[in-house]
Amino acid sequence: MYCNPMNPKHLTKTIALGLCVCLLAGLLTGCGSSSGEASEGEDSDVIELLNVSYDPTREFYAAYNELFSAYYQDTYGVTVEITQSHGGSGSQARSVIEGNEADVVTLALAHDITLIEQEGMIDEGWLDEFDNNSSPYTSTIVFLVRSGNEKNIQDWDDLIQEGVDIITPDPKSSGGACWNFLAAWYYVWQQDGSDEAQMKEFMRALYANVLVMDSGARGATTTFVENGQGDVLIAWENEALQTMADYPGEYELITPSVSILAEPSVAIVDENVADHGTEEVAQEYLEYLYTDEAQRLIGEYYYRPTNQEILSEFSDVFDLDVVLCTIDDFGGWDAAYEKFFQDDGIFDEIYNS
């Protein structure tokens, strides 16, 4: 409504201005608050939140969003609607930098979030904002084979044998693929007498056996499961377990002798939540992942809870004795990414030779 106090057909200037002020106050009162808590007796609007995540978290976050929305409604009387976006972790990070207005990111590795931080969109120190390096759940890397394991694949060195067709995603776009590469590299690293030249030759032989290299982990699973290609899928543990649950009796999970502690990271996209007015609800959204209820849901969707007591409740699901290296063995993600995955790094060297 437009008020023109100078028009003689309207009320006097004083009264008209008063009406405009009242109208404006009423409109502001009706706007939703991002702080979560509405005043008693007031109706609150819907808060919208965008979670940009990586491929295999689709099912988990669909369930978690319902859990969190119910909690938030019960606690504050405010409705939160969460939209999910999924793809290869590296691709998802780039999409946020290019304008995908994520309130939170829940990506496959810390380096992908660091890329967003370097653009000034996430505040420094995000890795310490939440517990366990801002990783509310972990996973590891395993092999998924078809029932009967015709090629008798048991460990990393079986993957370089002639006639073994491997499915694994591309480290240039997939965070899971980076974890896959590092787990294999560490296996060779631990062999007696291995030097870097031998390690590169092993990795060259492994990737020479890759039949299809999809852009993301979920695409690789689709290639292996739905399209029936390959003898072995190098996969997130949670993705392998979910596949076995969906196709009982058709697949086997093989845990190699050495793997890696994969720590997917979460962060608030500070620049975007400031624009959206969603700072507080985004904070609670990620904090709630650490609650007992959410940690059990994490286990039910085949991620490893970071709460060790709750993790132990899933000892019949996970191999808790597997030897796991960590990203610290590679000097942290910045050092690892520069050495292995940057343009002209070791991955390019072994894959393009």
Side-chain angles (χ1 to χ4, degrees):
M1 177 182 178
Y2 172 62
C3 294
N4 181 3
M6 301 302 295
N7 190 328
K9 293 182 180 179
H10 291 162
L11 298 174
T12 65
K13 180 176 180 179
T14 303
I15 297 174
L17 285 173
L19 289 173
C20 288
V21 170
C22 290
L23 175 59
L24 178 60
L27 288 172
L28 290 175
T29 302
C31 292
S33 168
S34 65
S35 67
E37 296 189 44
S39 300
E40 185 176 357
E42 289 182 356
D43 292 330
S44 58
D45 288 349
V46 173
I47 300 175
E48 296 181 353
L49 207 67
L50 174 58
N51 175 8
V52 171
S53 194
Y54 64 106
D55 266 333
T57 59
R58 301 168 192 266
E59 293 80 10
F60 165 66
Y61 275 112
Y64 175 72
N65 291 343
E66 290 187 7
L67 179 69
F68 176 78
S69 295
Y71 152 77
Y72 209 82
Q73 180 69 51
D74 290 345
T75 305
Y76 301 116
V78 175
T79 300
V80 181
E81 291 184 353
I82 303 115
T83 302
Q84 301 172 217
S85 171
H86 298 272
S89 187
S91 300
Q92 290 291 81
R94 288 189 290 274
S95 80
V96 173
I97 292 169
E98 292 167 2
N100 191 358
E101 296 191 6
D103 297 281
V104 299
V105 286
T106 56
L107 298 177
L109 46 90
H111 177 77
D112 290 335
I113 297 179
T114 298
L115 293 178
I116 306 172
E117 176 197 350
Q118 290 171 348
E119 295 296 319
M121 301 178 70
I122 294 177
D123 294 344
E124 292 182 9
W126 68 267
L127 195 64
D128 299 318
E129 187 166 358
F130 302 99
D131 292 342
N132 302 304
N133 294 323
S134 290
S135 296
Y137 43 82
T138 67
S139 190
T140 189
I141 302 305
V142 300
F143 308 149
L144 187 68
V145 299
R146 304 184 196 286
S147 182
N149 192 9
E150 181 180 344
K151 300 293 177 71
N152 193 30
I153 294 165
Q154 301 297 331
D155 214 338
W156 292 102
D157 53 0
D158 295 317
L159 301 186
I160 66 171
Q161 302 307 310
E162 185 177 355
V164 173
D165 289 332
I166 300 169
I167 307 297
T168 184
D170 184 350
K172 292 293 189 175
S173 55
S174 166
C178 295
W179 292 114
N180 294 355
F181 185 101
L182 294 179
W185 182 273
Y186 189 82
Y187 169 81
V188 190
W189 192 3
Q190 297 306 297
Q191 306 305 304
D192 290 339
S194 290
D195 60 21
E196 188 158 292
Q198 291 172 305
M199 295 158 71
K200 289 179 180 179
E201 188 56 39
F202 181 94
M203 299 303 291
R204 188 175 288 110
L206 190 154
Y207 278 88
N209 279 352
V210 173
L211 182 64
V212 178
M213 194 158 60
D214 290 281
S215 62
R218 179 55 58 86
T221 302
T222 299
T223 296
F224 185 71
V225 174
E226 297 184 17
N227 298 342
Q229 299 189 57
D231 301 304
V232 55
L233 172 68
I234 307 177
W236 291 97
E237 179 185 51
N238 56 281
E239 189 84 336
L241 288 167
Q242 185 64 60
T243 299
M244 292 174 64
D246 292 342
Y247 300 89
E250 296 186 31
Y251 298 94
E252 299 176 24
L253 186 155
I254 307 296
T255 302
S257 61
V258 172
S259 193
I260 192 166
L261 178 66
E263 296 179 296
S265 300
V266 303
I268 297 168
V269 185
D270 298 286
E271 181 179 282
N272 289 346
V273 297
D275 289 342
H276 302 161
T278 53
E279 296 100 324
E280 293 187 24
V281 68
Q283 181 83 22
E284 287 219 39
Y285 180 77
L286 296 183
E287 285 180 348
Y288 196 73
L289 285 163
Y290 292 88
T291 64
D292 287 355
E293 191 172 16
Q295 288 281 297
R296 287 192 174 89
L297 187 68
I298 284 166
E300 290 169 8
Y301 280 84
Y302 305 116
Y303 288 90
R304 296 185 176 212
T306 52
N307 182 314
Q308 294 301 299
E309 290 185 7
I310 294 177
L311 175 62
S312 68
E313 297 175 11
F314 294 88
S315 59
D316 60 332
V317 176
F318 305 115
D319 180 353
L320 300 181
D321 297 321
V322 61
V323 176
L324 299 176
C325 65
T326 74
I327 194 60
D328 291 339
D329 292 307
F330 298 88
W333 261 116
D334 288 345
Y337 204 90
E338 181 176 358
K339 178 175 181 177
F340 294 104
F341 308 119
Q342 291 281 28
D343 290 347
D344 300 322
I346 287 177
F347 174 75
D348 282 352
E349 179 186 342
I350 65 98
Y351 189 66
N352 296 325
S353 61

